Amino acid sequence: MTEKKQKTVVSGIRPTGNLHLGNYFGAVRSFVKMQSEYRCYFFIADLHSLTTHPTPDNLQAGVKQVLAEYLACGIDPEQATIFIQSDVPEVVELYTFLNMNAYLGELERTTSFKEKARQNPDNVNAGLLTYPVLMAADIIIHKAHFVPVGKDQEQNLEMARKFATRFNHMYGHRLFPLPKPFTFDGHEMIKVPGLDGSGKMGKSEGNGIFLYEDPADIRKKVMRAVTDSGPTMMNQEKPEPIRNLFTLMKIVSTPETVAFFDGQYNQCVIRYGDMKKQLAEDIIAFTAPIRERILAIRNDEVYLARVAREGAEKARESAAKTLAEVKALIGLKRLW
Ligand code: TRP
């Protein structure tokens, strides 16, 4: 075991399905790298997704799809513990304990709570309010040191540290390490742009290319990407939509291909149609094998069920150990 495997990493993924290129290059690829270096727990946060009341069918399908996609991307159940949150009831028990020391004021002040409450004023439920408490339980139940998450989750992680610190102080123990955000080395953090001319690729922006997407649909999307009327001066600076196309190309194409179109741009002879055709083919060459694996894994329910069962067993073992310590500290371990 390498020295690093002594540090624990936890990250949760909401089962909203269908990973896109942005998720892959922004996060999943790093998870795959981390699994050989750290003790990793990656889980599907199905309980968290209940705040928005999915139908049972959608929830089922979403959990299965995400599991298949992560496995298809190379998360290896032999190296990392991959599990489904609701298979580990110990988390919910810890959540109950943490809730006793989570205060209404601080929960109401959370940015993501305020945002969601504003977006859905008819569904401001208690689960939404205590979302950061459940997330803290997810993390500290495995005594995580690092949590790889995006910027949007930093406040939730700060709250996890707060709840862990509070518990440690209250019971005079340093039971929980304080989980830190995991920041990848600069070069690994690729921000993948969308195809709509500005900003990054996102699920809700509707500008994404999914790993699971059909090649014909990928071609259609890429051909429709926003461009401009073309350069008018040699070596002129590229406006954002064009820069974005080049950024995508740098991610999926060879350096020679990128250099070729860059030269064409600088000489003012570029034909965006040709560039897009090439880009679409290179994206397809990258996603096609992943798509095939997703399809194969998704159809292999026996394999999926085994991965989920074995992951749950490993996660429960780790969670039960922490929970026993927590209960002893609280005074819930019967001494008579
Ligand atoms: N809140 C996270 C998100 O929306 C998902 C999540 C739940 C999570 N529990 C977690 C992430 C624990 C990291 C660690 O993306």
Side-chain angles (χ1 to χ4, degrees):
M1 204 189 264
T2 63
E3 200 176 311
K4 271 186 179 168
K5 271 239 163 174
Q6 294 166 11
K7 294 275 184 196
T8 300
V9 167
V10 169
S11 198
I13 306 121
R14 265 178 308 156
T16 35
N18 295 26
L19 295 174
H20 53 62
L21 286 176
N23 299 133
Y24 182 82
F25 289 102
V28 184
R29 204 176 52 154
S30 311
F31 289 1
V32 173
K33 246 186 108 185
M34 292 169 97
Q35 64 187 358
S36 58
E37 297 173 17
Y38 299 92
R39 191 169 148 249
C40 286
Y41 292 89
F42 298 127
F43 68 95
I44 298 169
D46 57 348
L47 297 176
H48 278 109
S49 73
L50 293 177
T51 55
T52 54
H53 308 160
T55 66
D57 287 347
N58 282 345
L59 185 59
Q60 277 289 324
V63 169
K64 189 175 169 192
Q65 179 75 12
V66 178
L67 184 58
E69 291 193 339
Y70 276 85
L71 294 168
C73 286
I75 292 188
D76 175 5
E78 300 287 321
Q79 295 207 60
T81 301
I82 171 158
F83 65 99
I84 298 160
Q85 186 184 28
S86 63
D87 283 344
V88 184
E90 287 80 2
V91 169
V92 185
E93 218 175 317
L94 180 57
Y95 166 61
T96 302
F97 301 143
L98 296 179
N99 267 330
M100 306 306 166
N101 292 297
Y103 293 93
L104 183 60
E106 62 188 347
L107 294 171
E108 278 176 336
R109 276 194 302 277
T110 314
T111 314
S112 52
F113 172 75
K114 285 195 290 193
E115 242 168 58
K116 286 178 193 161
R118 191 172 45 79
Q119 287 161 0
N120 292 298
D122 298 332
N123 188 26
V124 188
N125 60 64
L128 193 63
L129 183 72
T130 56
Y131 185 109
V133 187
L134 181 56
M135 181 162 158
D138 289 328
I139 296 168
I140 69 178
I141 203 154
H142 301 294
K143 300 191 179 176
H145 301 94
F146 299 114
V147 183
V149 282
K151 271 239 164 309
D152 62 324
Q153 295 296 315
E154 267 173 17
Q155 192 179 30
N156 282 338
L157 195 52
E158 208 175 287
M159 304 202 47
R161 281 196 296 277
K162 201 188 271 185
F163 299 137
T165 306
R166 228 170 255 168
F167 188 95
N168 285 346
H169 280 163
M170 183 148 180
Y171 296 103
H173 259 261
R174 304 185 73 186
L175 184 66
F176 297 117
L178 301 186
K180 292 198 221 20
F182 188 94
T183 35
F184 303 105
D185 303 344
H187 61 98
E188 281 182 47
M189 269 299 254
I190 303 180
K191 231 198 235 153
V192 180
L195 293 168
D196 49 354
S198 68
K200 66 170 198 167
M201 192 175 281
K203 250 179 216 159
S204 37
E205 283 79 357
N207 62 3
I209 294 178
F210 299 104
L211 299 176
Y212 179 64
E213 199 147 344
D214 182 81
D217 293 337
I218 293 181
R219 281 189 197 102
K220 252 186 257 161
K221 279 190 181 171
V222 175
M223 295 315 284
R224 265 196 253 118
V226 174
T227 52
D228 60 10
S229 50
T232 51
M233 275 186 315
M234 303 268 268
N235 300 316
Q236 84 180 53
E237 216 181 290
K238 299 182 184 79
E240 192 181 1
I242 308 305
R243 264 204 324 271
N244 286 352
L245 280 187
F246 274 93
T247 304
L248 273 170
M249 196 168 234
K250 276 184 206 143
I251 293 169
V252 293
S253 306
T254 64
E256 291 75 30
T257 304
V258 179
F260 173 79
F261 287 102
D262 201 40
Q264 298 243 301
Y265 185 89
N266 288 333
Q267 303 293 315
C268 301
V269 294
I270 191 159
R271 283 162 47 173
Y272 290 134
D274 291 349
M275 180 179 178
K276 287 177 177 177
K277 263 189 210 141
Q278 181 68 46
L279 178 60
E281 292 318 308
D282 291 342
I283 289 175
I284 291 163
F286 174 79
T287 55
I290 300 181
R291 174 181 152 84
E292 268 171 43
R293 282 200 297 275
I294 295 173
L295 287 170
I297 293 171
R298 223 181 43 171
N299 286 328
D300 192 348
E301 291 191 342
V302 175
Y303 173 66
L304 282 174
R306 180 161 62 83
V307 168
R309 191 183 61 244
E310 291 177 359
E313 265 167 33
K314 282 194 273 175
R316 285 197 75 176
E317 196 183 306
S318 156
K321 221 172 114 198
T322 306
L323 194 63
E325 293 175 303
V326 166
K327 289 176 88 168
L329 287 172
I330 292 179
L332 291 168
K333 181 178 163 195
R334 199 111 55 235
L335 298 173
W336 39 271

